[in-house]
Amino acid sequence: MKNTLGRRNFIKLTASASGALVIGVHFQSCVTGKTPAKNFEFLPLVTIDTEGEVTLIAKNPEIGQGVKTSLPMILAEELGADWKKVKVIQGDFNEKYDEQWAGGSYAVILNWDLMRTAGAQVRFALITVASQKLKLPAAELISKNGSVVHQASGKSIPFGDLVKEAAQIPLPDEIEFKPSDSYTIVGQPIPQVDLDKMVSGKMEYGIDIKRPGMVYATVRKNPVFDGGISEFDSTVAKAMEGVIEVLELDNKKYGGRLIGPNSPNFVNGVAVIANSTWAAFKGAEKLKVVWNNTESRKENTDEIFDRFHAQLSNTSIEREDGNFALAKREAASTLEKVYEVPFLAHATMEPMNCTVDFGDEVCEVWAPTQNPEALQEGLIKLFDLKPEQIKIHLPRAGGAFGRRYYVDYAMDAAILSKEMGKPVKLTWTREEDTKHDWYRPGSVQKLTATLDKDGMVTGWQHILANASRKTSLGREGRPAGTEIDEYEFPAGFVPNLQFEYGHVLSDVPLGQWRAVAPGANAFPIQSFLDEMAFKNNMDPIDYFLKFIGPARMVPVVGEYEFDNARFIQVIEKVRKNSDWDTSLPEGQGRGFAARKMSGSFIAEVVTVDVLENNKVNILKVDVVVDCGIVVNPSGAKAQVEGAILEGFCAALYGEITFKDGATEQSNFHNYRWMRMNETPEIHIEFIKNDLPPRGLGEPPLPPAIPALTNAIFAATGKRIRKLPIVSNFDT
Amino acid sequence: MPSYALNINFERKEVIADSDTPLLWVLRDVLELTGTKYGCGQGLCGACTVLHNGNPIRSCSLTVESATKGEITTIEGISENSDHPIQMAWMEMDVPQCGYCQSGQIMSTYSLLSKNTNPSDEDINTALSGNICRCGTYGRVKKAVKLASNKMNK
């Protein structure tokens, strides 16, 4: 495999004062493929010191997705490093890193070539130096376990003895990557970086930050969306021991509801600053606030869903292939079903928090965030700062799931630190966190299929109505954009296909949630296909395989194609692994669903036992994944396990509701998550191939939901068309 | 504000705090033992689990005043160098994802294994179902508990 990106574009070797080799990367040109402007800056990505210790910068935020381990593994593999001598350091935010965010299961996809190229170029330089020293041809040398080795003679030189001269070696324009069958790091189940800290309480999360002279803060926000403050009385709070100050947070003074097109600003409220978190929490409870909710629509969940239902007949066409209307007229039969998915909160284990030291010269921020670029943008906009006045550190985040894509809580903290003239650590209570989330939008989805005399699909219509993330709070985006995408399944598979979107406006603050649109849409789509199979008295997997047709490249949209051979392979394997074709005892059932997302193909079979009291007992999950090369099997399995369980939590219990314009749930007692005793065994198989690695943090989530509801149908004959599952049972 | 004498990780600590301050915030803000995490403040999630006389308790729901009676053990107190068999098992199984709930999971396990050296699946479920993990590490936690129990029985 040759790399086509010229090294002059983006990699530079230099020697540090101590003789260490510093590998600098110009990230923008690497990602865009364009030659950078003059005087561009190389950011250090790797250093190798004279002792051979390799230090790697992990540039992307670590939110539990394992990126701090997987990206360095890729570089270390090409370099031929000894993983035991690799140290990984979390990089601060630097806009020149480019694409320094966590989302869309993209970290490995975006960095695979960059990490390999950087590793391979350094390997080239080290081998060139070793070749001169050993007087042996470079072609006979390999790098392995932190040394350059001549295998025939057994001679070797450790990296540390090569680094001084390596900085002088001119790098080639093109470089060979290692063949994947020679990998010794990529493909190994490598335990995560920082494990020892995480099991001993020494890992520093955002909520653990302490700065000299720091004070503690919390907020009470108007529970009603888009509400303001009429007046507040802080006398009692201020008189409490430990309370230092009470400050109003009014977003109108700071640019209103939006920072940028996709970045909501903070919600209005009152902050209490104290000498401890507890004093701030107690002070906030004692505040007397008169909220101003005259402009709120005071929405209720039922009324919102009524509007969604009504909007099914007032839509825009988002994709049209063939002629669905004609297919409907000519159909032997049709099937039409309506499904509902609820609003969801993120409920990260670590509640929203941020520490800011807003100094005269520099605004220094410690933010558990997925999106430091938006944070920088917000600080620039709210405080008229220059980029060089902002320093953002990225502590490990205690979960994110899309919540930390928005930086409202960091804006709170920055305002408070500026006002106080001191470092401030802001910690939201769980209640504020639950009530002031950027919720995954609920939706109503109507699916209609036209069938021929054999029960196969000739036409497909998917109408989705909801309040869009893209237009929430006055954001300016294409409303259907994050709700029903033009590449939604089964686009490309059905000749007469129509996607329609019914746009509803709502005050509910909306945002991304793990697996975004597929997370909400796989449930209706794959339930509907399951319904069709039963309507035709066919086995659901047989029906699905017939529906997707033979192995071929399926054109979906533009250049985006769908490799159906890979899809079929995961489906056939999960059928076998799950013993799909064997019978189960009374009361048990299996459900199937499959999906492609972020480049990965996933097929899942869920086996359930539905007890007499309608309690759903998930017995096991079989999943087959084709995500290309598996960088770190341990981390990859963790992502699959986590995504499936998150899908189950959402399916079984997940529901946020609104009353008079405010969220009704507040904490884990009324926004429930699965517990250990509800957790099934999850059997995972990865397809082995040589294809570039694709995303994994989200793709296993969407099929988990319909596989579960289809299993409940198989077990009980009860079809779930509305989530959460608990809302379908009387218990 | 009154002063309290606490016995934490086999050390006596004098702290000044309001009597109703939850132990959690004394640990985190006063004693800088931040391994114990805030998750819900209502005893619902288990992230703040510590041992009180060997029993797992939610430190968000125990006042500093009540904590004076007896010995407190936090995640920082179970080993010097992250080498307690439970911690070793956790690392071997590569349990954490975000890691935030893991101190609580480990402390619940510590209490379980001190009373039951060979727990069944059901025993583990009973002991750990009060600890929420949003990332979904339950399967690995369960395997790590069993591995730890094997290590400790050797």
Side-chain angles (χ1 to χ4, degrees):
Chain A
M1 274 184 284
K2 287 258 183 183
N3 171 50
T4 54
L5 296 167
R7 62 91 190 164
R8 282 183 201 91
N9 276 349
F10 68 99
I11 288 182
K12 188 171 148 186
L13 305 184
T14 49
S16 78
S18 64
L21 176 66
V22 181
I23 297 98
V25 176
H26 185 263
F27 287 86
Q28 280 106 327
S29 59
C30 173
V31 173
T32 61
K34 287 179 195 150
T35 303
K38 280 180 188 169
N39 303 323
F40 51 87
E41 187 183 348
F42 287 98
L43 296 179
L45 182 68
V46 192
T47 54
I48 309 175
D49 69 15
T50 50
E51 298 299 310
E53 179 146 318
V54 179
T55 305
L56 281 161
I57 306 287
K59 72 181 182 79
N60 289 50
E62 174 61 66
I63 57 175
Q65 83 281 44
V67 72
K68 194 173 177 181
T69 309
S70 55
L71 296 189
M73 280 174 69
I74 299 168
L75 196 152
E77 176 65 65
E78 278 296 334
L79 175 60
D82 176 359
W83 182 255
K84 286 188 223 67
K85 290 182 90 173
V86 172
K87 200 166 84 185
V88 183
I89 298 175
Q90 178 68 52
D92 289 335
F93 171 67
N94 189 322
E95 58 188 343
K96 298 189 181 73
Y97 275 135
D98 217 53
E99 309 285 1
Q100 196 182 7
W101 44 272
S105 308
Y106 270 116
V108 169
I109 301 176
L110 284 173
N111 290 288
W112 172 243
D113 280 342
L114 166 65
M115 291 294 152
R116 286 194 305 161
T117 305
Q121 291 281 12
V122 182
R123 166 165 48 87
F124 173 87
L126 295 169
I127 285 180
T128 305
V129 176
S131 158
Q132 291 161 1
K133 288 196 171 191
L134 293 168
K135 301 193 169 48
L136 286 165
E140 290 177 19
L141 301 173
I142 59 162
S143 70
K144 196 177 160 187
N145 288 331
S147 294
V148 174
V149 182
H150 183 248
Q151 282 186 303
S153 66
K155 287 179 186 164
S156 75
I157 308 181
F159 285 177
D161 295 345
L162 300 168
V163 292
K164 273 184 192 160
E165 294 94 331
Q168 312 306 321
I169 301 296
L171 298 179
D173 280 340
E174 291 202 330
I175 192 94
E176 295 259 337
F177 291 140
K178 277 186 176 178
S180 63
D181 59 8
S182 71
Y183 285 170
T184 57
I185 297 172
V186 167
Q188 296 304 309
I190 304 258
Q192 290 167 85
V193 169
D194 294 334
L195 257 184
D196 56 332
K197 293 184 194 148
M198 285 189 278
V199 302
S200 58
K202 291 178 189 133
M203 188 80 234
E204 193 174 57
Y205 294 83
I207 205 167
D208 304 326
I209 299 288
K210 193 161 193 175
R211 303 298 303 164
M214 184 181 89
V215 290
Y216 300 78
T218 197
V219 286
R220 249 182 75 195
K221 301 278 186 172
N222 188 333
V224 174
F225 308 134
D226 246 357
I229 297 162
S230 291
E231 56 181 324
F232 66 94
D233 178 355
S234 57
T235 322
V236 178
K238 273 188 177 168
M240 290 169 69
E241 195 148 3
V243 172
I244 300 166
E245 184 59 278
V246 175
L247 293 169
E248 185 177 347
L249 290 162
D250 178 357
N251 63 34
K252 283 192 196 70
K253 289 184 189 162
Y254 292 93
R257 296 306 314 274
L258 286 178
I259 293 167
N262 195 27
S263 191
N265 204 353
F266 64 91
V267 173
N268 293 321
V270 182
V272 176
I273 297 96
N275 63 10
S276 72
T277 313
W278 178 244
F281 281 10
K282 274 209 303 184
E285 265 180 31
K286 300 285 181 196
L287 288 173
K288 291 190 183 114
V289 191
V290 181
W291 304 111
N292 176 0
N293 295 324
T294 50
E295 285 174 33
S296 168
R297 290 179 221 232
K298 303 199 177 57
E299 291 168 299
N300 295 313
T301 315
D302 289 350
E303 170 267 326
I304 291 171
F305 273 88
D306 286 347
R307 285 196 282 145
F308 291 174
H309 278 282
Q311 206 69 14
L312 289 172
S313 53
N314 183 11
T315 59
S316 56
I317 292 177
E318 298 298 325
R319 177 173 177 142
E320 196 171 20
D321 298 353
N323 188 334
F324 177 76
L326 183 65
K328 202 169 177 182
R329 282 198 296 277
E330 291 176 349
S333 67
T334 60
L335 187 70
E336 180 186 301
K337 299 290 173 196
V338 178
Y339 303 85
E340 279 186 29
V341 297
F343 291 82
L344 295 173
H346 299 83
T348 59
M349 284 310 295
E350 180 193 18
M352 293 307 109
N353 68 85
C354 186
T355 302
V356 179
D357 184 356
F358 207 124
D360 294 334
E361 306 292 322
V362 174
C363 176
E364 195 167 5
V365 183
W366 291 260
T369 177
Q370 293 173 255
N371 197 354
E373 289 171 29
L375 206 164
Q376 186 201 43
E377 186 189 356
L379 293 171
I380 290 171
K381 187 166 173 192
L382 266 61
F383 305 102
D384 199 23
L385 296 173
K386 296 187 180 70
E388 56 270 26
Q389 292 176 285
I390 299 166
K391 190 165 174 54
I392 300 171
H393 306 282
L394 301 171
R396 189 183 191 90
F401 316 110
R403 173 61 180 90
R404 294 188 213 272
Y405 201 72
Y406 309 100
V407 296
D408 47 319
Y409 55 95
M411 298 303 112
D412 284 349
I415 292 166
L416 298 177
S417 176
K418 187 165 194 244
E419 295 267 339
M420 297 301 294
K422 286 179 183 180
V424 172
K425 175 160 74 181
L426 168 73
T427 305
W428 284 18
T429 60
R430 171 61 57 194
E431 287 76 11
E432 288 292 332
D433 186 283
T434 308
K435 289 186 177 292
H436 292 290
D437 203 338
W438 307 96
Y439 302 100
R440 194 287 299 272
S443 57
V444 174
Q445 309 196 26
K446 182 174 145 190
L447 285 134
T448 307
T450 64
L451 307 173
D452 63 18
K453 60 180 174 31
D454 299 322
M456 294 316 295
V457 176
T458 56
W460 178 283
Q461 185 191 45
H462 187 160
I463 307 177
L464 188 151
N466 77 349
S468 166
R469 283 166 265 227
K470 288 280 190 197
T471 57
S472 174
L473 308 174
R475 287 176 236 180
E476 290 169 12
R478 191 172 68 87
T482 44
E483 311 307 328
I484 181 159
D485 293 302
E486 56 185 345
Y487 48 82
E488 181 57 87
F489 186 79
F493 287 86
V494 181
N496 304 297
L497 174 128
Q498 201 157 305
F499 291 160
E500 296 179 32
Y501 182 65
H503 185 208
V504 172
L505 284 171
S506 161
D507 284 347
V508 176
L510 303 172
Q512 309 300 1
W513 194 91
R514 193 175 188 173
V516 194
N521 302 354
F523 161 65
I525 294 166
Q526 298 252 292
S527 301
F528 191 52
L529 282 160
D530 201 67
E531 297 207 43
M532 268 183 251
F534 281 94
K535 180 182 153 84
N536 288 302
N537 293 314
M538 275 179 78
D539 173 89
I541 294 185
D542 285 342
Y543 188 83
F544 192 83
L545 286 169
K546 205 170 168 191
F547 174 74
I548 61 171
R552 67 200 188 282
M553 294 305 290
V554 180
V556 176
V557 59
E559 289 175 7
Y560 171 43
E561 292 183 320
F562 193 118
D563 187 346
N564 212 32
R566 294 174 74 185
F567 201 34
I568 293 167
Q569 187 182 27
V570 293
I571 294 166
E572 286 180 339
K573 277 206 185 271
V574 85
R575 171 178 214 146
K576 184 168 166 285
N577 293 357
S578 65
D579 299 320
W580 176 264
D581 294 299
T582 62
S583 61
L584 285 170
E586 182 77 22
Q588 295 189 10
R590 292 190 192 97
F592 157 81
R595 174 98 195 181
K596 183 190 179 196
M597 187 186 176
S598 303
S600 293
F601 297 84
I602 317 275
E604 295 173 18
V605 169
V606 173
T607 308
V608 299
D609 188 1
V610 182
L611 309 174
E612 275 176 18
N613 58 1
N614 285 331
K615 171 111 183 61
V616 177
N617 189 12
I618 306 171
L619 298 175
K620 76 172 175 131
V621 185
D622 290 280
V623 49
V624 179
V625 177
D626 176 357
C627 60
I629 290 169
V630 180
V631 175
N632 182 353
S634 181
K637 277 187 177 169
Q639 289 304 298
V640 176
E641 290 159 356
I644 288 174
L645 282 189
E646 184 154 10
F648 288 163
C649 292
L652 285 166
Y653 310 119
E655 184 176 31
I656 287 287
T657 57
F658 312 107
K659 187 159 188 274
D660 299 329
T663 301
E664 293 190 283
Q665 290 71 25
S666 58
N667 207 320
F668 289 114
H669 65 292
N670 54 15
Y671 190 63
R672 190 173 160 190
W673 288 94
M674 282 173 83
R675 307 277 179 158
M676 180 185 273
N677 60 326
E678 301 170 285
T679 304
E681 279 184 46
I682 301 175
H683 302 283
I684 304 166
E685 180 181 343
F686 287 98
I687 301 286
K688 286 191 174 57
N689 62 33
D690 213 8
L691 296 160
R694 289 294 171 253
L696 210 50
E698 296 169 297
L701 190 153
I705 299 171
L708 173 58
T709 53
N710 290 342
I712 292 170
F713 178 78
T716 64
K718 184 168 179 64
R719 179 61 68 183
I720 309 286
R721 296 197 189 91
K722 183 181 176 183
L723 295 178
I725 291 165
V726 287
S727 70
N728 292 265
F729 294 115
D730 296 332
T731 52
Chain B
M1 275 194 282
S3 166
Y4 296 98
L6 298 172
N7 189 334
I8 293 178
N9 300 333
F10 313 107
E11 272 185 64
R12 194 184 141 90
K13 299 275 185 189
E14 293 276 343
V15 296
I16 295 167
D18 260 344
S19 60
D20 67 346
T21 308
L23 175 63
L24 168 68
W25 296 110
V26 172
L27 292 173
R28 290 182 53 80
D29 288 353
V30 182
L31 298 171
E32 297 187 22
L33 294 169
T34 52
T36 305
K37 299 301 188 210
Y38 167 62
C40 69
Q42 303 286 341
L44 300 165
C45 78
C48 68
T49 305
V50 300
L51 304 186
H52 185 227
N53 294 329
N55 296 312
I57 56 113
R58 310 303 181 214
S59 63
C60 71
S61 305
L62 183 79
T63 63
V64 61
E65 191 167 33
S66 313
T68 54
K69 304 176 196 83
E71 288 187 11
I72 302 291
T73 311
T74 72
I75 184 75
E76 291 89 350
I78 65 169
S79 72
E80 289 269 320
N81 304 307
S82 316
D83 55 0
H84 187 279
I86 298 173
Q87 292 168 312
M88 301 296 282
W90 242 251
M91 289 191 276
E92 227 171 284
M93 299 307 304
D94 197 15
V95 172
Q97 287 184 36
C98 86
Y100 193 80
C101 73
Q102 298 297 337
S103 297
Q105 306 276 1
I106 288 170
M107 295 315 288
S108 291
T109 302
Y110 190 99
S111 169
L112 167 69
L113 295 182
S114 67
K115 291 163 194 160
N116 180 347
T117 53
N118 196 13
S120 65
D121 278 6
E122 208 176 319
D123 297 334
I124 299 172
N125 281 341
T126 306
L128 282 136
S129 286
N131 291 84
I132 297 179
C133 172
R134 271 288 282 107
C135 301
T137 63
Y138 297 128
R140 292 191 190 202
V141 169
K142 196 179 271 185
K143 284 180 190 156
V145 174
K146 289 179 184 172
L147 180 61
S149 113
N150 287 341
K151 284 178 187 287
M152 290 164 78
N153 290 338
K154 267 182 192 162

